[in-house]
Amino acid sequence: MAAQFGRRLRKGAATTAVAAVAVAALSASQAPGVNDHGRQTAADAGPSPEAGASDGSATGNSPYYTDLPPLKSPNPSPSTGPAPGGQGETEAGIPATVLDAYKKAEASLRESKPGCNLPWQLLAAIGRVESGQARGGRVDAEGTTIGKILGPQLDGNGFALIRDTDNGAYDGNSTYDQAVGPMQFIPSTWAWAGRDGNADGKKDPNNIYDAALAAGHYLCRNNWDLSDQDDLDRAILSYNNSREYLNLVMRWLEYYRKGTHEVPDGTGTLPDNRSDDGAGARPSPSAPGTPSSGASEPKPSPRPEKPGGGTTTPKPPPTSPGTPSAPPSTSPTPTPTPTDTVHHLEDAGTAKLTAMAGDTFAQRISTRAETKAGKAVAKVRIRFTILGDTDTTFTGGESVATVATNSSGVAVAPALRAGEKTGGVTVRATVVARTVPGLDYTATVTERAADTLARTGDAALTCTPGGEFANQVEVKATYKGAVADGVAATATLIKSADDPTANDKGPYFKDADGKTVRTLSGLKTDGNGLLKLPKLYADDTTGTFLLRISTAGGATLTVELTVAAAETSSPSPSASPSA
């Protein structure tokens, strides 16, 4: 397949027939449930029942490239150097910067979300289907595409209806949204899913490093494990909610897993066919001289031949005098969507939101979308965003979640997981693609606590004056019967049961410099709720002393320490004199 830049080719009937044969040959081995064409139009792209309704899709279900991988599988190749001959090997080549971005995203997710098991080949498969690997690798040295890659405007005419959510900031369209960049994020999704993948301080959907990392995090949300086929299916369907899309991405994923290599930027092959071919596609604004991802080039009308060859320009048919010209066509007024009818948001009975650091909140945020008259509105996307400087997240590690309202107009946010930073956390609910006041919820993160402390052993704690206690004090902390890990604790050698101030004589700890210390603060229980204190020493004072250990949450334990002179053994009685 020859590389094409600046224009898009349409395959003829012969090429389509070849593609159909390829689909038939591949369908048995590469993906189940594929139709005979391996392609989809906007008219028949119904949502798949496997996809979750809560998150919409990354692309707004925008069109995508439908070209299939070659029948000839690639062989593993060196990571650098030009592509070798053969169609399979050529198709396996990925532009150097684009390939680097995919691999860096995989490495980042391996650290931040190791349980996701994201393979970079999945990003490559989606990048191929969405933008032909950033139009064959047409990116600059920083990974930013040369010219914007835009899908068609999502105005409901052959595509989804998504009104403008970014005031044209990303797509240049202040009326409707368009998918943007090499991974084709719609602006409303990029607003929360965007990432800075190249550490330049910006989150740019047109930068392949930013877009690849954002796609990785998007696919890894909801605690999905992409090594599990069911979770992998869910993740791909959440990117574009179509069974045909899922099957196509899976084919490219398996193809790239069999071997890929690096090719120079700008020399990658470009696909020819899109899912919107012949289904209401139209040009979409983009940078001058650059093709739009979802646009179809207008085709000139054929001119009739002149006698003897050549062409002539057709003239419009004459009109009779006095005949009124046809009125200009006007676009029909779009039917209001449920989102258009939302007037405000109301709390739907959310309980008090409180959890200890590290715990999952037992309560969940519930928000109801209503019309001006107070009627519930179903099928509206509500975005929940955690604001401010906090490490509290939704389960899955994200700070933003989008949930569709049910038949009662209620959207229930995913459970919150408290971070280690204590204090108040604000969660704001807003309507996606609708400017109405947001609704704020306050969640409170309290410090980790224990309500019970107990020694793990019962050996006596004794020492001789000036000596060292043979046994170290170890305690276990629990909270409501469960292990209390990471709980802050303080240990103090106190004067008496009635006077908790630090003693000035008797047993003591040593600091790093070997100096006497009788109060230890900043202690924490380990993952098993255990706390083992440092060694204790005794001065020359004898008697019974008290060690008090206390934790956040009010748990307290007082331990007795005894300092006594060593017992001397009694001398043996002398033998009686002989009679």
Side-chain angles (χ1 to χ4, degrees):
M1 185 184 299
Q4 302 290 331
F5 299 101
R7 65 192 182 93
R8 181 173 292 114
L9 299 179
R10 303 282 183 188
K11 288 189 176 181
T15 307
T16 303
V18 172
V21 172
V23 175
L26 286 167
S27 60
S29 62
Q30 290 183 304
V34 183
N35 61 25
D36 290 337
H37 300 90
R39 298 178 55 188
Q40 169 195 10
T41 66
D44 62 13
S48 168
E50 289 86 349
S54 63
D55 290 317
S57 73
T59 66
N61 298 326
S62 292
Y64 53 88
Y65 287 113
T66 58
D67 293 61
L68 297 165
L71 290 172
K72 181 181 178 182
S73 298
N75 294 318
S77 319
S79 60
T80 58
Q87 183 192 32
E89 293 173 335
T90 301
E91 291 290 347
I94 299 177
T97 300
V98 178
L99 180 60
D100 185 56
Y102 295 151
K103 291 185 175 181
K104 278 185 167 58
E106 179 197 54
S108 176
L109 269 297
R110 194 183 303 126
E111 284 191 19
S112 61
K113 296 183 179 180
C116 176
N117 296 303
L118 171 79
W120 66 260
Q121 292 91 341
L122 175 59
L123 298 176
I126 291 176
R128 168 72 190 200
V129 170
E130 292 295 344
S131 68
Q133 310 297 18
R135 294 198 304 257
R138 296 188 70 234
V139 297
D140 63 19
E142 285 71 41
T144 302
T145 59
I146 300 172
K148 290 185 176 180
I149 303 175
L150 296 175
Q153 65 178 18
L154 301 173
D155 58 5
N157 185 11
F159 309 109
L161 174 60
I162 304 179
R163 301 191 190 281
D164 175 62
T165 61
D166 65 330
N167 199 27
Y170 294 118
D171 54 14
N173 189 335
S174 58
T175 305
Y176 299 99
D177 270 353
Q178 296 174 243
V180 181
M183 303 304 280
Q184 289 289 278
F185 279 97
I186 54 174
S188 60
T189 302
W190 183 261
W192 62 266
R195 293 292 191 279
D196 179 10
N198 58 353
D200 64 353
K202 297 182 294 183
K203 299 176 182 178
D204 182 2
N206 300 294
N207 182 278
I208 186 59
Y209 288 99
D210 294 359
L213 184 59
H217 276 276
Y218 185 89
L219 294 164
C220 285
R221 70 199 194 287
N222 298 330
N223 284 327
W224 283 330
D225 176 1
L226 302 186
S227 65
D228 177 83
Q229 188 62 52
D230 289 339
D231 279 359
L232 178 60
D233 288 356
R234 293 184 188 99
I236 296 172
L237 285 168
S238 79
Y239 212 90
N240 191 310
N241 191 4
S242 157
R243 173 58 62 175
E244 289 79 5
Y245 181 89
L246 166 64
N247 292 334
L248 185 60
V249 169
M250 283 300 303
R251 287 178 173 177
W252 280 106
L253 170 60
E254 294 307 316
Y255 179 78
Y256 285 133
R257 277 175 165 164
K258 293 174 182 175
T260 56
H261 56 271
E262 176 185 299
V263 298
D265 289 344
T267 65
T269 59
L270 282 183
D272 296 330
N273 294 293
R274 291 190 61 86
S275 59
D276 56 340
D277 286 356
R282 55 202 163 286
S284 174
S286 63
T290 60
S292 168
S293 171
S296 303
E297 288 192 4
K299 297 181 180 179
S301 302
R303 297 181 180 182
E305 294 185 2
K306 291 180 180 179
T311 60
T312 182
T313 303
K315 296 181 180 179
T319 56
S320 303
T323 302
S325 58
S329 60
T330 58
S331 300
T333 302
T335 303
T337 65
T339 300
D340 296 328
T341 67
V342 177
H343 177 264
H344 61 272
L345 296 175
E346 290 284 346
D347 176 44
T350 303
K352 185 178 180 181
L353 298 164
T354 303
M356 285 197 305
D359 287 353
T360 299
F361 283 74
Q363 310 82 15
R364 295 170 68 175
I365 296 172
S366 298
T367 302
R368 184 172 55 253
E370 296 183 353
T371 65
K372 187 174 183 179
K375 183 179 178 181
V377 185
K379 299 181 180 179
V380 173
R381 289 186 297 158
I382 305 298
R383 179 177 297 130
F384 297 95
T385 306
I386 301 172
L387 305 178
D389 181 19
T390 178
D391 54 354
T392 292
T393 64
F394 293 109
T395 50
E398 299 295 342
S399 60
V400 178
T402 304
V403 181
T405 57
N406 59 20
S407 59
S408 300
V410 175
V412 180
L416 287 165
R417 182 170 180 79
E420 295 302 320
K421 293 183 179 179
T422 59
V425 176
T426 299
V427 181
R428 179 167 297 166
T430 56
V431 182
V432 175
R434 178 81 171 155
T435 305
V436 298
L439 188 61
D440 287 353
Y441 296 84
T442 300
T444 302
V445 179
T446 61
E447 62 181 329
R448 294 172 182 255
D451 55 16
T452 304
L453 283 174
R455 281 190 65 193
T456 58
D458 57 4
L461 299 168
T462 60
C463 182
T464 57
E468 176 183 313
F469 284 80
N471 298 306
Q472 289 177 248
V473 178
E474 184 181 65
V475 297
K476 182 171 184 177
T478 56
Y479 183 79
K480 296 182 178 178
V483 167
D485 62 315
V487 176
T490 301
T492 305
L493 291 151
I494 60 175
K495 289 184 176 179
S496 69
D498 298 325
D499 185 355
T501 57
N503 209 335
D504 54 2
K505 57 185 177 181
Y508 61 90
F509 299 105
K510 290 182 180 180
D511 65 12
D513 298 324
K515 295 180 180 179
T516 297
V517 175
R518 289 191 169 91
T519 298
L520 296 178
S521 57
L523 305 172
K524 277 192 176 181
T525 60
D526 66 12
N528 296 315
L530 298 176
L531 174 63
K532 191 171 188 177
L533 299 182
K535 286 185 177 181
L536 279 162
Y537 302 87
D539 62 14
D540 294 334
T541 310
T542 59
T544 299
F545 301 89
L546 299 180
L547 169 65
R548 179 163 292 172
I549 306 167
S550 57
T551 67
T556 301
L557 177 66
T558 302
V559 180
E560 283 192 357
L561 307 172
T562 302
V563 180
E567 293 183 6
T568 57
S569 56
S570 300
S572 305
S574 355
S576 301
S578 301

